[in-house]
PDB file of all heavy atoms in Angstrom:
ATOM      1  N   VAL Y 155      24.134  31.590 -18.927  1.00 97.00           N
ATOM      2  CA  VAL Y 155      23.827  30.352 -18.213  1.00 97.00           C
ATOM      3  C   VAL Y 155      23.919  30.611 -16.714  1.00 97.00           C
ATOM      4  O   VAL Y 155      24.954  31.064 -16.215  1.00 97.00           O
ATOM      5  CB  VAL Y 155      24.786  29.215 -18.616  1.00 97.00           C
ATOM      6  CG1 VAL Y 155      24.288  27.887 -18.045  1.00 97.00           C
ATOM      7  CG2 VAL Y 155      24.915  29.125 -20.139  1.00 97.00           C
ATOM      8  N   PHE Y 156      22.817  30.342 -16.015  1.00 97.00           N
ATOM      9  CA  PHE Y 156      22.780  30.470 -14.559  1.00 97.00           C
ATOM     10  C   PHE Y 156      23.055  29.099 -13.945  1.00 97.00           C
ATOM     11  O   PHE Y 156      22.496  28.091 -14.380  1.00 97.00           O
ATOM     12  CB  PHE Y 156      21.407  30.965 -14.095  1.00 97.00           C
ATOM     13  CG  PHE Y 156      21.099  32.375 -14.497  1.00 97.00           C
ATOM     14  CD1 PHE Y 156      20.485  32.646 -15.719  1.00 97.00           C
ATOM     15  CD2 PHE Y 156      21.399  33.442 -13.659  1.00 97.00           C
ATOM     16  CE1 PHE Y 156      20.186  33.951 -16.094  1.00 97.00           C
ATOM     17  CE2 PHE Y 156      21.111  34.742 -14.020  1.00 97.00           C
ATOM     18  CZ  PHE Y 156      20.503  34.994 -15.241  1.00 97.00           C
ATOM     19  N   PHE Y 290      24.849  30.960  -6.316  1.00 93.00           N
ATOM     20  CA  PHE Y 290      24.712  30.856  -7.767  1.00 93.00           C
ATOM     21  C   PHE Y 290      25.816  31.648  -8.447  1.00 93.00           C
ATOM     22  O   PHE Y 290      26.476  32.493  -7.853  1.00 93.00           O
ATOM     23  CB  PHE Y 290      23.325  31.337  -8.214  1.00 93.00           C
ATOM     24  CG  PHE Y 290      23.240  32.795  -8.572  1.00 93.00           C
ATOM     25  CD1 PHE Y 290      23.314  33.215  -9.895  1.00 93.00           C
ATOM     26  CD2 PHE Y 290      23.075  33.758  -7.585  1.00 93.00           C
ATOM     27  CE1 PHE Y 290      23.229  34.550 -10.233  1.00 93.00           C
ATOM     28  CE2 PHE Y 290      22.985  35.100  -7.907  1.00 93.00           C
ATOM     29  CZ  PHE Y 290      23.068  35.503  -9.239  1.00 93.00           C
ATOM     30  N   ASP Y 291      25.998  31.340  -9.723  1.00 94.00           N
ATOM     31  CA  ASP Y 291      26.966  32.068 -10.527  1.00 94.00           C
ATOM     32  C   ASP Y 291      26.423  32.138 -11.952  1.00 94.00           C
ATOM     33  O   ASP Y 291      25.485  31.410 -12.312  1.00 94.00           O
ATOM     34  CB  ASP Y 291      28.331  31.366 -10.514  1.00 94.00           C
ATOM     35  CG  ASP Y 291      29.478  32.335 -10.826  1.00 94.00           C
ATOM     36  OD1 ASP Y 291      29.193  33.469 -11.261  1.00 94.00           O
ATOM     37  OD2 ASP Y 291      30.640  31.946 -10.634  1.00 94.00           O
ATOM     38  N   VAL Y 292      26.989  33.021 -12.738  1.00 94.00           N
ATOM     39  CA  VAL Y 292      26.597  33.124 -14.140  1.00 94.00           C
ATOM     40  C   VAL Y 292      27.787  32.760 -15.007  1.00 94.00           C
ATOM     41  O   VAL Y 292      28.945  32.985 -14.634  1.00 94.00           O
ATOM     42  CB  VAL Y 292      26.107  34.547 -14.497  1.00 94.00           C
ATOM     43  CG1 VAL Y 292      24.923  34.945 -13.638  1.00 94.00           C
ATOM     44  CG2 VAL Y 292      27.231  35.572 -14.361  1.00 94.00           C
ATOM     45  N   GLY Y 293      27.479  32.168 -16.146  1.00 93.00           N
ATOM     46  CA  GLY Y 293      28.524  31.792 -17.092  1.00 93.00           C
ATOM     47  C   GLY Y 293      28.151  32.247 -18.489  1.00 93.00           C
ATOM     48  O   GLY Y 293      26.975  32.457 -18.804  1.00 93.00           O
ATOM     49  N   TYR Y 367      27.247  41.410 -11.623  1.00 74.00           N
ATOM     50  CA  TYR Y 367      27.685  40.334 -12.504  1.00 74.00           C
ATOM     51  C   TYR Y 367      28.019  40.813 -13.911  1.00 74.00           C
ATOM     52  O   TYR Y 367      28.406  40.021 -14.771  1.00 74.00           O
ATOM     53  CB  TYR Y 367      26.602  39.244 -12.577  1.00 74.00           C
ATOM     54  CG  TYR Y 367      26.463  38.478 -11.288  1.00 74.00           C
ATOM     55  CD1 TYR Y 367      25.584  38.907 -10.303  1.00 74.00           C
ATOM     56  CD2 TYR Y 367      27.231  37.346 -11.039  1.00 74.00           C
ATOM     57  CE1 TYR Y 367      25.477  38.225  -9.102  1.00 74.00           C
ATOM     58  CE2 TYR Y 367      27.125  36.651  -9.842  1.00 74.00           C
ATOM     59  CZ  TYR Y 367      26.244  37.100  -8.879  1.00 74.00           C
ATOM     60  OH  TYR Y 367      26.142  36.424  -7.698  1.00 74.00           O
ATOM     61  N   LYS Y 370      31.368  39.904 -15.605  1.00 73.00           N
ATOM     62  CA  LYS Y 370      31.527  38.566 -16.155  1.00 73.00           C
ATOM     63  C   LYS Y 370      31.031  38.464 -17.589  1.00 73.00           C
ATOM     64  O   LYS Y 370      31.308  37.484 -18.286  1.00 73.00           O
ATOM     65  CB  LYS Y 370      30.776  37.547 -15.278  1.00 73.00           C
ATOM     66  CG  LYS Y 370      31.379  37.332 -13.901  1.00 73.00           C
ATOM     67  CD  LYS Y 370      30.512  36.384 -13.109  1.00 73.00           C
ATOM     68  CE  LYS Y 370      31.158  36.026 -11.771  1.00 73.00           C
ATOM     69  NZ  LYS Y 370      32.254  35.057 -11.924  1.00 73.00           N
TER      70      LYS Y 370
END
Side-chain angles (χ1 to χ4, degrees):
V155 190
F156 292 89
F290 92 98
D291 204 348
V292 301
Y367 290 90
K370 291 176 174 284

